[in-house]
Amino acid sequence: TADLELLSSATELAHILTELELMSRAVEAATVAVMARAERTDAFRDDGHGTLTGWVRSLIKWSPSEASARTRTATAAQQHPALIDRLAASTLGVAQARRIAGLHANRRVRDELPLVFDALADIAGTLPYEDFNTAVLRWEQLADADGAHRHADIVAAGKAEIVGRLDEGDVGTII
């Protein structure tokens, strides 16, 4: 860091930031690959941990959100190994990989993801994150056109039934 004091141009600093980002993506790819292997082999259980997330939290002292994000990415990478390959090749950023992993974690769209994985990963490398996220959100809405609403309708119907029974004094069937 002392050498940074010798740098003053935006070009020099941008070059260093870019190189650090490329290294960060390679490290993330290796980290996720190790975690995916630990999950596939249940190696994390050797230390008595019940989950991969718990294991890495204990081992590396990551925050709950960091451990969860990386576990989601490792889990997604098992079905989509290109996630690791693209991170390692620096054609996919860490945040974009985690966003795609979030799609894989959504059970209502997971089965559709293989159909668009490559296209999403391609645009992740070309769009600013906000635009990429907008595209992902739109695809997620289309892939799960009525999923969230379907569940909301079920919950609303259940609430209406409970309220109706309470109004009728029929508490026994609710409890």
Side-chain angles (χ1 to χ4, degrees):
T1 58
D3 293 340
L4 289 177
E5 294 302 318
L6 303 174
L7 303 175
S8 59
S9 80
T11 303
E12 292 171 323
L13 294 169
H15 175 73
I16 290 172
L17 277 175
T18 301
E19 290 299 314
L20 290 170
E21 176 60 21
L22 297 177
M23 287 188 272
S24 172
R25 292 175 184 189
V27 168
E28 183 74 5
T31 300
V32 167
V34 169
M35 290 177 65
R37 178 69 179 156
E39 189 171 41
R40 271 193 312 279
T41 62
D42 279 345
F44 61 89
R45 295 187 191 279
D46 292 351
D47 287 343
H49 292 280
T51 66
L52 179 62
T53 303
W55 181 60
V56 295
R57 282 191 63 202
S58 174
L59 182 67
I60 310 296
K61 308 300 185 237
W62 284 335
S63 69
S65 61
E66 185 70 18
S68 293
R70 284 186 165 152
T71 298
R72 269 192 307 275
T73 306
T75 299
Q78 291 183 64
Q79 185 172 349
H80 305 283
L83 201 60
I84 293 172
D85 297 339
R86 286 176 181 255
L87 271 169
S90 292
T91 59
L92 187 64
V94 173
Q96 291 84 348
R98 289 179 179 180
R99 184 64 182 98
I100 291 171
L103 290 174
H104 181 266
N106 181 342
R107 292 186 309 259
R108 294 188 311 264
V109 302
R110 181 182 301 145
D111 292 342
E112 304 299 321
L113 185 56
L115 303 173
V116 297
F117 175 85
D118 286 329
L120 290 176
D122 287 344
I123 65 168
T126 60
L127 295 176
Y129 181 82
E130 294 80 10
D131 295 342
F132 167 71
N133 190 50
T134 299
V136 168
L137 286 169
R138 184 67 183 128
W139 177 81
E140 192 171 24
Q141 290 168 346
L142 292 171
D144 185 23
D146 64 346
H149 296 295
R150 178 182 62 238
H151 295 295
D153 292 344
I154 291 168
V155 170
K159 285 180 181 176
E161 182 180 336
I162 289 170
V163 169
R165 288 183 181 184
L166 286 173
D167 287 343
E168 296 169 10
D170 189 10
V171 179
T173 60
I174 298 169
I175 300 174

